[in-house]
Amino acid sequence: MTAPVLSLNNASVRYGDTTAVDGVSIDLHAGETLGLVGESGCGKSSIARAICGLAPLSGGSLLIEDQDAATGGKTDRRFVADRVQLLFQDPVASLSPRLTVGALLAEPLKIRKTFSPESWAAAVALLRDMGLGEQFLSRYPHQLSGGQARRVALARVLTAKPRIIVADEPTAGLDLSIQGDMLNLLRGLRDRLGLSYLFISHNLNVVGRVTERVAIMYLGQIVETGMTSLLFRAPAHPYTQALLSSNLTIDPERRRERIILKGELPSPRNPPPGCRFHLRCPIAQPVCAVRQPALEAQADGRAVACHFPLTTISQAMAG
Ligand code: SF4
């Protein structure tokens, strides 16, 4: 595997008295697509914001291309903005309604003071690569379909020539066929431009299609991480198993019995003691209520935070 282009080490993000992200470590390698999965409110978007310099870390570190990028200074913000771009979840809301597509494409170049005939021609070529001809330059965001607006947002992000794109639910709300086109486009751009993606989604079908590795989050922490194919085939954490069991497309024959989790996601302001998942976990034991499991590396290359990982249990039963 290539060297990480981005390393989040033991990172925390706090808003007031709420710790939205608590001791998360993530490595993103060059040319890789890493999925970040979990229910809404689990801290995924806070990680995205922290990586893009939009939320300060309250603990831990962020290295981008081996340089400390979380000290919060102006130079840092510029360094991060030159390398990392956020593809927003709601593209229409992220595009100013008063600007035409042409003005939206020109804006990042002007902000960076890199506007020139060459950079403008490259931006228009990017738009064309997205399947949007020059006739789109005079259109306004409200005149675009959901798929077209996402392509414009992507072209705008790419004018900054980032190395890393943090894509927050990039296909949410799109029809299945348009979703497929968008995923193919993202994959093609990644390979052609040498990009790395942190792909945030709660849609497991999409994550299964585009990511090589995945990290599963629960209540501000990573509970399992490893190769997507391995985790989706044989989850080791009961939370990963429950997420997968509720997905009919991943498991069309329902070989896995659907696991309905008890209760709601607890508030990150007041997380349960011990394992944060113990109030909802179908296999919780008394120790789970008092001792927090560490994220530990397993022999098959994944890491899991559980006192009783499922793969160990099934291996023991098979043996
Ligand atoms: Fe369930 Fe206990 Fe594992 Fe937490 S540590 S996931 S409560 S079995």
Side-chain angles (χ1 to χ4, degrees):
M1 200 176 277
T2 53
V5 286
L6 178 152
S7 288
L8 201 57
N9 302 305
N10 200 20
S12 299
V13 178
R14 197 172 297 141
Y15 304 111
D17 58 356
T18 301
T19 303
V21 177
D22 191 2
V24 163
S25 297
I26 285 175
D27 279 343
L28 177 67
H29 298 265
E32 176 183 49
T33 303
L34 171 69
L36 193 58
V37 171
E39 290 163 282
S40 65
C42 72
K44 306 184 298 272
S45 295
S46 296
I47 289 184
R49 292 175 57 77
I51 287 175
C52 297
L54 302 173
L57 292 184
S58 53
S61 65
L62 170 65
L63 297 181
I64 293 175
E65 294 175 349
D66 285 334
Q67 187 166 323
D68 186 353
T71 52
K74 202 171 162 193
T75 331
D76 265 5
R77 287 203 297 275
R78 183 63 205 250
F79 174 80
V80 173
D82 280 347
R83 285 157 184 82
V84 186
Q85 287 285 311
L86 178 62
L87 190 57
F88 283 98
Q89 189 173 138
D90 183 349
V92 178
S94 76
L95 302 174
S96 170
R98 287 174 292 105
L99 297 182
T100 61
V101 169
L104 286 164
L105 276 187
E107 192 180 50
L109 299 172
K110 289 181 178 163
I111 290 171
R112 291 187 146 68
K113 301 189 174 48
T114 55
F115 190 87
S116 66
E118 293 75 27
S119 67
W120 174 243
V124 175
L126 266 173
L127 194 66
R128 216 177 301 115
D129 285 351
M130 309 277 158
L132 302 175
E134 291 186 27
Q135 71 274 22
F136 280 88
L137 290 171
S138 57
R139 295 198 190 162
Y140 287 89
H142 73 270
Q143 296 173 308
L144 305 172
S145 69
Q148 288 166 346
R150 274 179 172 79
R151 285 162 192 257
V152 169
L154 183 56
R156 187 173 139 92
V157 153
L158 289 172
T159 57
K161 295 196 167 73
R163 310 299 306 147
I164 298 164
I165 290 185
V166 177
D168 192 0
E169 302 280 5
T171 59
L174 294 178
D175 296 350
L176 272 187
S177 67
I178 305 204
Q179 206 175 79
D181 291 348
M182 188 69 187
L183 295 179
N184 289 338
L185 180 64
L186 284 169
R187 196 182 293 121
L189 287 166
R190 181 192 72 171
D191 296 344
R192 187 157 61 85
L193 303 176
L195 299 167
S196 307
Y197 295 142
L198 180 66
F199 197 97
I200 298 176
S201 182
H202 67 272
N203 184 330
L204 294 171
N205 294 313
V206 168
V207 170
R209 280 183 62 183
V210 298
T211 68
E212 287 89 35
R213 287 190 308 127
V214 65
I216 312 288
M217 279 194 81
Y218 186 80
L219 212 56
Q221 298 180 329
I222 290 179
V223 294
E224 184 167 9
T225 181
M227 300 302 291
T228 309
S229 54
L230 177 67
L231 264 64
F232 277 31
R233 196 175 62 245
H237 196 283
Y239 180 62
T240 315
Q241 185 191 43
L243 284 182
L244 291 167
S245 80
S246 63
N247 193 299
L248 193 59
T249 314
I250 287 179
D251 196 359
E253 295 162 22
R254 282 253 187 271
R255 288 182 303 274
R256 291 180 248 251
E257 197 181 326
R258 179 156 191 200
I259 299 163
I260 312 273
L261 293 176
K262 299 176 274 186
E264 303 283 317
L265 187 70
S267 164
R269 187 171 297 172
N270 190 18
C275 173
R276 292 186 172 193
F277 187 55
H278 84 265
L279 295 172
R280 305 173 79 193
C281 179
I283 61 164
Q285 303 293 316
V287 65
C288 304
V290 289
R291 193 153 61 84
Q292 184 168 25
L295 188 67
E296 281 180 4
Q298 309 289 302
D300 58 12
R302 78 176 94 203
V304 59
C306 175
H307 297 309
F308 308 101
L310 299 166
T311 44
T312 318
I313 294 172
S314 57
Q315 277 158 11
M317 283 168 70

